[in-house]
Amino acid sequence: MTNEGQVASVIEKVKSRAKSVQKTQEIVRAADLPLGRILPGDCIEAMRSLPSASVDLVFADPPYNLQLGGDLARPDGSHVDAVTDHWDQFDSMAAYDKFTREWLTEARRVLKPDGGLWVIGSYHNIFRVGAILQDLGFWILNDIVWRKTNPMPNFKGTRFTNAHETLIWASMGEKSRYHFNYRAMKTLNDELQMRSDWVLPICSGGERLKENGKKAHPTQKPEALLYRVLLATTEKGDVVLDPFFGTGTTGAVATRLGRQWIGCEREASYRSVAEKRIAKELPLDESALTTMQSPRSAPKVAFGAVVEGGLIPPGSAVFDKKRRWIATVRADGSLEWQGKTGSIHGLGKELQGAPSCNGWTFWHFEKAGDVQPIDAARQLYLLAAED
């Protein structure tokens, strides 16, 4: 072996060892995590009990500090459920900023280097939260506008109707890696790129949790909102932390989608409702959890591997859908047509005179009288590899 070869071999061993150590550390951290539990008490103290770099995603719905000066009534005199609870009240903006900085600091500590942060808020607090998380080193990836299809009207008629809330999605830093299931979001959005304005209804009807005929929580978030967040930025088995767990929307959706979760909630009444709610939730089966993958994250399979595996053996005929060109598969995975040779992509491109060609969908083969694109053989290869 040459010196260059020896160096390359050592580098690969070091990388392999580093990955093994990292995986072991993650397993140890996971064993120390209170998965599927709601931690009581102050969220900052609760987060301090968690290991560093142990969480894949933080979804936070902190107090909005609405600064309401009294009861809110409809024109007919009936009372409007608004956030006048003590947990949403702070003595000053400075006190709220201090609280925000402390919980965000802990969130940053427990997140993995490639972890993500979501924070939702209203105009009362989201700009202050955004500035503080930037000060702490988070990097904003998107601000999402949740546009409510059925917002509460402005009963006094003194301002525009508050018809939206804002979510901030951030990574750990400008150069940090983060997770985004782009293809799944495009599929969810009827094959259009998912935009940063989400039109979803507020939590109402049968989804709204009640205790003794009253709302269990004044600001319960709709499950559709958490479904989109978790599907977009986590994978099956990832750990999601919600420092302001409330009545457990994050835990319920995480359970359904096969994600692990940890909650922090100081209000005993909310914890009780959340525990009963999540206990009824069942995870989706494996096939339902599978999502579309982006080309970058999809497993790479060479056509040669399909040939080598015998799914389309050497000597087989492959052809375009209209059978204008019938090529022969060669032992190395290349194709030959009337003296012209090339890869499935290259030969397809040349024969059509096109700027590019996806050979997997352009070329077809026949098996037991059934004509299929050669991509069908690739999918069979992937299924066999998973088994």
Side-chain angles (χ1 to χ4, degrees):
M1 183 182 291
T2 64
N3 288 338
E4 289 183 359
Q6 290 175 330
V7 170
S9 177
V10 170
I11 290 174
E12 285 304 312
K13 288 180 180 178
V14 169
K15 286 182 178 179
S16 177
R17 174 62 178 162
K19 287 181 181 178
S20 176
V21 170
Q22 181 183 1
K23 189 67 177 177
T24 301
Q25 289 173 339
E26 288 182 1
I27 292 171
V28 170
R29 283 194 293 264
D32 293 337
L33 291 175
L35 299 176
R37 285 177 48 197
I38 308 173
L39 306 180
D42 176 74
C43 71
I44 297 167
E45 290 302 318
M47 282 193 285
R48 284 173 181 160
S49 69
L50 301 177
S52 298
S54 59
V55 168
D56 297 288
L57 189 80
V58 170
F59 178 86
D61 183 8
Y64 286 8
N65 193 24
L66 295 179
Q67 311 127 39
L68 296 178
D71 289 341
L72 187 62
R74 297 182 178 87
D76 62 4
S78 60
H79 178 72
V80 175
D81 288 328
V83 184
T84 53
D85 295 313
H86 63 91
W87 52 258
D88 193 60
Q89 297 172 354
F90 294 82
D91 293 335
S92 64
M93 290 294 186
Y96 185 79
D97 290 350
K98 180 177 181 293
F99 166 74
T100 299
R101 186 169 288 103
E102 288 180 348
W103 76 256
L104 277 171
T105 297
E106 282 306 304
R108 185 171 180 81
R109 183 187 65 79
V110 301
L111 276 168
K112 296 176 182 178
D114 60 350
L117 170 77
W118 285 84
V119 187
I120 185 171
S122 68
Y123 69 87
H124 303 86
N125 73 322
I126 197 64
F127 304 108
R128 307 185 78 85
V129 172
I132 292 170
L133 67 83
Q134 285 181 309
D135 288 343
L136 292 174
F138 286 102
W139 186 259
I140 295 178
L141 299 168
N142 276 116
D143 65 322
I144 304 293
V145 174
W146 166 31
R147 188 155 63 88
K148 304 172 183 178
T149 59
N150 50 346
M152 182 186 298
N154 184 276
F155 294 112
K156 294 183 179 180
T158 55
R159 303 184 189 182
F160 296 107
T161 296
N162 293 324
H164 78 276
E165 292 184 29
T166 301
L167 297 96
I168 294 175
W169 174 37
S171 66
M172 291 287 280
E174 181 180 2
K175 302 298 175 76
S176 299
R177 298 183 65 182
Y178 58 89
H179 198 77
F180 179 47
N181 293 325
Y182 167 80
R183 194 65 186 81
M185 288 297 97
K186 190 173 181 181
T187 305
L188 191 68
N189 198 38
D190 204 16
E191 290 305 318
L192 295 174
Q193 277 194 347
M194 183 72 76
R195 292 162 38 129
S196 61
D197 54 335
W198 298 354
V199 182
L200 298 167
I202 62 173
C203 185
S204 59
E207 187 183 335
R208 170 65 74 172
L209 300 174
K210 294 185 178 181
E211 290 280 287
N212 301 318
K214 296 182 179 181
K215 291 180 182 177
H217 196 290
T219 63
Q220 181 183 336
K221 296 299 182 289
E223 292 187 0
L225 184 69
L226 270 297
Y227 185 96
R228 188 172 296 184
V229 166
L230 297 189
L231 195 66
T233 55
T234 63
E235 292 292 345
K236 182 177 180 292
D238 281 357
V239 178
V240 181
L241 169 67
D242 187 336
F244 308 96
F245 203 63
T247 51
T249 303
T250 300
V253 176
T255 300
R256 189 181 314 150
L257 291 177
R259 277 63 169 165
Q260 304 278 5
W261 61 267
I262 303 168
C264 305
E265 180 52 57
R266 72 182 191 182
E267 303 296 322
S269 60
Y270 296 161
R271 293 199 302 271
S272 175
V273 171
E275 286 166 353
K276 288 185 286 187
R277 173 189 191 179
I278 297 170
K280 299 176 183 177
E281 195 66 53
L282 295 174
L284 297 173
D285 62 38
E286 289 290 331
S287 60
L289 281 175
T290 304
T291 60
M292 294 288 286
Q293 293 179 308
S294 69
R296 286 182 297 178
S297 62
K300 299 293 184 183
V301 178
F303 181 61
V306 175
V307 174
E308 188 178 50
L311 294 169
I312 302 180
S316 299
V318 294
F319 43 85
D320 65 293
K321 199 167 185 179
K322 296 181 179 179
R323 296 183 187 256
R324 292 168 294 180
W325 302 286
I326 301 176
T328 302
V329 177
R330 304 201 303 182
D332 62 355
S334 62
L335 303 183
E336 187 272 334
W337 178 82
Q338 295 185 4
K340 295 179 182 289
T341 60
S343 69
I344 58 172
H345 311 296
L347 185 60
K349 172 184 172 181
E350 182 181 355
L351 293 177
Q352 296 178 90
S356 63
C357 172
N358 182 350
W360 291 108
T361 55
F362 176 73
W363 295 106
H364 292 65
F365 71 110
E366 188 170 349
K367 185 174 183 179
D370 184 24
V371 174
Q372 305 175 61
I374 62 173
D375 186 56
R378 176 171 63 163
Q379 299 307 317
L380 288 174
Y381 180 90
L382 287 170
L383 285 173
E386 288 176 1
D387 292 340

